[in-house]
Amino acid sequence: MNRKVTLLCTAAACMGLAACGNGGGSNAEAGTAEGGKTITIAKENDVVSLNSILAIDQKSFDVIGMFTEGLMTLDADNNIIPAIAESYELSDDQLTYTFKLRDAKWSNGEAVKAQDFVFAWNELAHNDEAEYSYLVTDDGACIKNGNEIVYDGKDDLDLGVTAKDDKTLVVELDKKSPQFLSLMVFPSFYPINEEFYKEKGDQYGLAVENLLANGPYKVVEWTKGNSVKVAKNADYWDAGNVKVDNIIVNAVPDFSTSALDFENGNTDWTQLNSTLIDRYKDNEAFKEEPESCLWYLQYNVSDVNYPSMTNPSVAGQ
């Protein structure tokens, strides 16, 4: 199966992305002290959280997608193909998906089970801090009971997703959802090992030791505000098709700095801002990648430190 690691968030990236990639940087060929091929990437922002339920930023989603895998993924041509799901069936009325899971395991040796998806999706729907909980509603995947849980606050309900057995996941929809399979690529719908999640509590996803991997890579180093390093996961079900042994993602807020690192062979991929495009547009490594992007301001209308924000005219009440 021809596969790729998705390094860009599937739902939020930059329109007209300009990047320099694999420009002969020494890292791509020489690797690290541990050996193997290493690619170094420069990203503008730092990772915030590697908890797939709470993550909201592109870089966090990028890294989550390196070490965790969901039901579906993208091939080299951006077609949606099965990942942890080996196959799926859609009912005649298009309201029920039945996924058959392949033999895959977490980095603690436990099997990836259908219950891992049931737990993760219900946790997403019921968690008040999960900003992407709306994705289970009719504004997203249209999962049964999603509207009632997220919008109506009915905490006694569960989503219409069940584990028929360890390898069979059944998802019931409120209505037809043409976008359902594409959403399965998004990290908010990735599985979570319930026992490990509860054991780590509010520290889950905040440090290397508080993470489990079921994807192509494992997080081996994480220096907050600086870099994240992932290494090939030998226990990944499709490890034979993972061609890069290590990926280092550096936080480099200044585009000029990351471009200079690229020129010096210390970075293999970087974004460019508009002021740098003319300088590099004739470089053979320059590439434009059009993608969708959504940026927005979210106002705090309840913080007691800013009482003026509770004014109905300001809060839109």
Side-chain angles (χ1 to χ4, degrees):
M1 185 180 295
N2 188 16
R3 305 166 59 78
K4 72 173 183 178
V5 178
T6 303
L7 298 181
L8 294 177
C9 171
T10 56
C14 294
M15 188 67 182
L17 176 69
C20 298
N22 293 332
S26 59
N27 288 328
E29 298 302 329
T32 64
E34 294 89 337
K37 185 176 182 179
T38 296
I39 290 179
T40 301
I41 297 170
K43 286 284 188 175
E44 181 181 5
N45 301 311
D46 189 25
V47 167
V48 177
S49 173
L50 295 181
N51 180 343
S52 58
I53 292 173
L54 300 180
I56 59 172
D57 63 291
Q58 179 185 336
K59 186 173 178 180
S60 295
F61 284 138
D62 290 347
V63 177
I64 290 170
M66 296 177 188
F67 72 90
T68 317
E69 189 168 68
L71 294 171
M72 311 298 289
T73 189
L74 301 175
D75 68 10
D77 297 315
N78 287 321
N79 297 308
I80 301 168
I81 60 173
I84 294 299
E86 190 169 39
S87 62
Y88 69 90
E89 294 180 356
L90 179 59
S91 61
D92 291 340
D93 62 6
Q94 299 184 44
L95 295 179
T96 303
Y97 280 89
T98 301
F99 294 92
K100 291 294 183 179
L101 307 188
R102 65 177 77 250
D103 291 332
K105 60 183 178 180
W106 296 102
S107 50
N108 65 355
E110 295 184 10
V112 178
K113 301 178 180 179
Q115 181 59 33
D116 296 332
F117 289 93
V118 175
F119 170 75
W121 295 8
N122 273 292
E123 185 69 15
L124 173 69
H126 288 280
N127 193 318
D128 292 336
E129 297 181 10
E131 295 199 28
Y132 280 95
S133 61
Y134 75 88
L135 289 178
V136 306
T137 74
D138 287 357
D139 293 320
C142 304
I143 300 175
K144 183 178 179 180
N145 293 335
N147 288 357
E148 290 79 3
I149 296 171
V150 176
Y151 295 146
D152 300 334
K154 295 185 178 180
D155 292 333
D156 57 333
L157 287 179
D158 288 328
L159 287 176
V161 52
T162 56
K164 188 175 180 180
D165 54 49
D166 286 350
K167 293 296 183 67
T168 308
L169 180 72
V170 179
V171 184
E172 298 176 85
L173 307 182
D174 276 326
K175 62 181 183 179
K176 295 178 183 179
S177 177
Q179 68 274 16
F180 180 83
L181 287 179
S182 63
L183 285 172
M184 296 303 100
V185 180
F186 194 71
S188 296
F189 288 101
Y190 287 177
I192 292 176
N193 183 291
E194 180 177 2
E195 182 178 356
F196 184 84
Y197 180 89
K198 291 181 176 178
E199 174 189 335
K200 298 302 180 180
D202 60 7
Q203 295 304 301
Y204 176 82
L206 297 180
V208 173
E209 63 271 19
N210 298 330
L211 295 168
L212 280 185
N214 77 328
Y217 296 92
K218 296 188 292 186
V219 179
V220 293
E221 296 177 13
W222 183 5
T223 303
K224 301 290 180 63
N226 189 0
S227 65
V228 176
K229 178 182 176 181
V230 299
K232 184 175 177 178
N233 180 6
D235 294 325
Y236 176 53
W237 69 269
D238 199 26
N241 282 316
V242 179
K243 305 305 182 183
V244 176
D245 297 281
N246 309 284
I247 302 174
I248 299 172
V249 186
N250 291 322
V252 187
D254 183 71
F255 290 109
S256 296
T257 299
S258 61
L260 183 60
D261 285 341
F262 175 82
E263 289 185 9
N264 292 333
N266 298 319
T267 292
D268 302 299
W269 188 98
T270 181
Q271 290 174 281
L272 302 175
N273 61 12
S274 57
T275 61
L276 293 172
I277 290 179
D278 285 342
R279 183 191 303 178
Y280 291 99
K281 65 183 181 181
D282 295 325
N283 189 306
E284 63 180 2
F286 179 85
K287 185 178 181 181
E288 291 186 73
E289 298 180 359
E291 295 177 342
S292 60
C293 181
L294 175 64
W295 296 93
Y296 60 92
L297 294 175
Q298 185 170 341
Y299 295 98
N300 184 345
V301 297
S302 60
D303 194 326
V304 294
N305 293 318
Y306 302 96
S308 62
M309 296 301 290
T310 62
N311 185 306
S313 298
V314 176
Q317 297 173 350

